[in-house]
Amino acid sequence: MAACGLHFTVVVTEPGDVFAWGAGVFGQLGLNTGKDQLLPERVAGREVFGARMVMVAAGALNSAGVTASGMLFTYGSGAEGQLGHGDLEDRMRPERIGRELFGGRPVLMVACGMEHTMVLTVGGLWTCGKGEDGKLGHGDEADRLVLTQVAAEHFEGNAQIVMVAAGKLHSVA
């Protein structure tokens, strides 16, 4: 699987290793440096993630990944709270967001937009980052520094969400 951000690419291999290359100024490559990378460089594997990485996502200046055990990792620019760690700090290496935030439920999918992130768990949708234009789905334009669950009643008939996608100024679930 591959994901392309603004001037960078991140991929996950069959064994679950993550590789990245391109612009890295905000740590979006996950290589513990703000330098650009001209060739694919291994970010990490099971030794960091604790399980095989199964998907990656790339925003404008941030990245995220989900492991086979349903753990979420985010890194890169946190300038708008899009990493979901409760602050505006950049992360140069993948950093885990505990499943306790999601009531212990595993993460199924992650999508990164320009300045926001969407996370799909068993039974829920969570968003964080810049809330401009209502793209976080909470019925307002407030920014959120921590992944916050989108109320199920916002979806007609309490539809079960099976996929998420994030763009520059919009979200789709």
Side-chain angles (χ1 to χ4, degrees):
M1 160 172 238
C4 299
L6 185 64
H7 307 295
F8 75 100
T9 302
V10 60
V11 301
V12 61
T13 64
E14 181 63 32
D17 293 335
V18 175
F19 286 78
W21 63 96
V25 68
F26 296 100
Q28 64 268 39
L29 301 180
L31 298 171
N32 205 29
T33 176
K35 295 181 181 178
D36 295 348
Q37 181 64 39
L38 300 180
L39 294 169
E41 179 79 21
R42 185 177 183 273
V43 176
R46 290 177 192 255
E47 77 283 357
V48 170
F49 305 126
R52 186 172 65 90
M53 188 64 67
V54 294
M55 82 157 297
V56 289
L61 301 171
N62 63 296
S63 301
V66 178
T67 69
S69 62
M71 297 302 300
L72 174 68
F73 289 81
T74 64
Y75 48 102
S77 174
E80 302 295 339
Q82 66 266 46
L83 299 182
H85 293 287
D87 57 40
L88 300 174
E89 301 297 317
D90 297 345
R91 301 295 197 284
M92 295 290 163
R93 299 282 300 159
E95 190 168 315
R96 184 177 69 85
I97 294 180
R99 281 178 31 180
E100 54 275 359
L101 177 68
F102 312 114
R105 294 174 289 206
V107 172
L108 303 173
M109 183 177 193
V110 63
C112 299
M114 179 141 176
E115 298 170 320
H116 70 295
T117 299
M118 304 174 69
V119 174
L120 180 62
T121 65
V122 172
L125 172 65
W126 307 72
T127 61
C128 65
K130 191 171 182 102
E132 179 184 26
D133 297 319
K135 66 185 168 215
L136 299 183
H138 299 285
D140 58 33
E141 294 189 53
D143 298 345
R144 288 177 171 78
L145 303 182
V146 175
L147 284 154
T148 305
Q149 189 167 17
V150 177
E153 57 266 14
H154 291 328
F155 297 95
E156 189 174 314
N158 290 328
Q160 182 178 352
I161 301 163
V162 296
M163 187 174 200
V164 294
K168 180 177 180 182
L169 296 173
H170 66 285
S171 301
V172 179

